[in-house]
Amino acid sequence: MGNSKLYKGSLNTIILKLLEEQGKMYGYEITQKVKELTKGELKITEGALYPALHKLEAEGLLDVEVAKVDNRLRKYYKLTEAGEKETVNRLAELEEFIRSMQNLVNPNWSIE
Amino acid sequence: MGNSKLYKGSLNTIILKLLEEQGKMYGYEITQKVKELTKGELKITEGALYPALHKLEAEGLLDVEVAKVDNRLRKYYKLTEAGEKETVNRLAELEEFIRSMQNLVNPNWSIE
DNA sequence: TTCTTATGCATAAGAATTTTATGTATATAT
DNA sequence: ATATATACATAAAATTCTTATGCATAAGAA
């Protein structure tokens, strides 16, 4: 209850941005980080996350590195060079979307 | 080209918000208004808009009124009472999403 | 020590929303 | 005449997400 929904299309950008900041992360870590950063408002489901990671990898935007910690598997993802470039584009797009929405929704707000 | 994409799920909220502001609008007018307000960044396609309007109407959030101007058909939509209440909710949800995204994407920004 | 919760991955079926491609029709500008 | 703008509509396909499963190990609670 009470958790604002995830707008479709934003997940990939969230993933890319987190990886840009954190260097490398594994799937479960991403779900927890998003929960933490948004105070529980956004919850990334596994059914959305893992296919998204696989697709980003297939597109050449992410590299994987498998590790075993405490006898449990972890797949660390990090941006490729193409991924870094694409992250810049996607973020610009998202910021543009946010600005557009603010113009529509609440022109009184300003971003600084 | 170069038009930033419409995040899925935001279209309904955009429609509701515009109707809240403008009182009543017809479909084509909505597409033009969004183009204008976002300086061409968001383009509402007809294939998305008309089904969305029909659905909002079916949900009881919109009322329709048909008019004929210059021998051309126009369907004016306006919020019902239920629509007005729902608009408040959807806008709150969208603002929450925007804030969450800003926390993820650029914590330096502030909304005032 | 058993049961639940947390950690960690994965996929498949279905739902929701959008894009793209059409189709119809009138008005206006070139 | 022809193209563009106005104005509606729907259907097929694509995209992206939710929900429901499934497997497996670790840690904490009862």
Side-chain angles (χ1 to χ4, degrees), chain B residues 8 26 28 46 50 54 72-75:
Chain B
K8 295 184 184 179
Y26 55 99
Y28 186 78
E46 298 165 298
Y50 292 114
H54 300 161
R72 272 200 242 88
L73 193 72
R74 281 185 189 173
K75 289 194 170 179

Side-chain angles (χ1 to χ4, degrees), chain A:
Chain A
M1 45 165 264
N3 62 318
S4 88
K5 73 180 165 189
L6 179 65
Y7 286 88
K8 295 185 182 178
S10 55
L11 177 57
N12 287 325
T13 307
I14 290 173
I15 293 171
L16 293 174
K17 174 60 181 176
L18 287 178
L19 289 177
E20 188 193 57
E21 274 180 6
Q22 310 286 321
K24 64 174 187 176
M25 300 181 82
Y26 56 99
Y28 186 77
E29 189 183 9
I30 292 175
T31 66
Q32 301 307 302
K33 191 73 180 174
V34 169
K35 241 201 294 193
E36 176 203 325
L37 287 175
T38 65
K39 287 152 196 151
E41 280 152 25
L42 290 189
K43 282 168 190 165
I44 308 300
T45 63
E46 296 165 299
L49 178 65
Y50 291 115
L53 287 171
H54 300 161
K55 199 185 169 208
L56 288 170
E57 188 197 349
E59 289 168 353
L61 302 181
L62 301 186
D63 269 342
V64 197
E65 183 195 327
V66 179
K68 208 160 196 178
V69 178
D70 286 334
N71 206 35
R72 275 200 240 89
L73 194 71
R74 283 184 187 174
K75 288 193 168 180
Y76 280 97
Y77 290 89
K78 67 165 193 281
L79 296 178
T80 61
E81 269 188 51
E84 285 172 22
K85 287 180 190 168
E86 189 57 18
T87 300
V88 175
N89 296 334
R90 303 270 182 116
L91 282 174
E93 226 173 48
L94 180 55
E95 288 175 22
E96 209 53 59
F97 170 76
I98 290 174
R99 285 174 199 276
S100 294
M101 288 310 300
Q102 287 186 335
N103 276 336
L104 291 171
V105 163
N106 197 337
N108 300 324
W109 285 358
S110 67
I111 302 176
E112 54 185 43

Side-chain angles (χ1 to χ4, degrees), chain B residues 4-5 9 22 37 39 56 60 70 76 81 83 92 102 111-112:
Chain B
S4 88
K5 72 181 164 190
Q22 310 285 321
L37 287 174
K39 288 150 195 153
L56 289 170
D70 287 331
Y76 281 96
E81 269 186 53
Q102 287 187 334
I111 301 177
E112 53 186 42

Side-chain angles (χ1 to χ4, degrees), chain B residues 19-65:
Chain B
L19 290 177
E20 189 193 56
E21 275 180 4
Q22 310 285 321
K24 65 174 187 177
M25 299 181 83
Y26 55 99
Y28 186 78
E29 189 184 7
I30 292 175
T31 66
Q32 300 308 303
K33 190 74 181 174
V34 169
K35 239 200 293 191
E36 175 204 325
L37 287 174
T38 66
K39 288 150 195 153
E41 279 152 24
L42 290 189
K43 282 168 191 166
I44 308 301
T45 63
E46 298 165 298
L49 177 65
Y50 292 114
L53 287 171
H54 300 161
K55 200 187 169 205
L56 289 170
E57 188 196 349
E59 289 169 353
L61 303 182
L62 301 186
D63 269 343
V64 196
E65 183 195 328

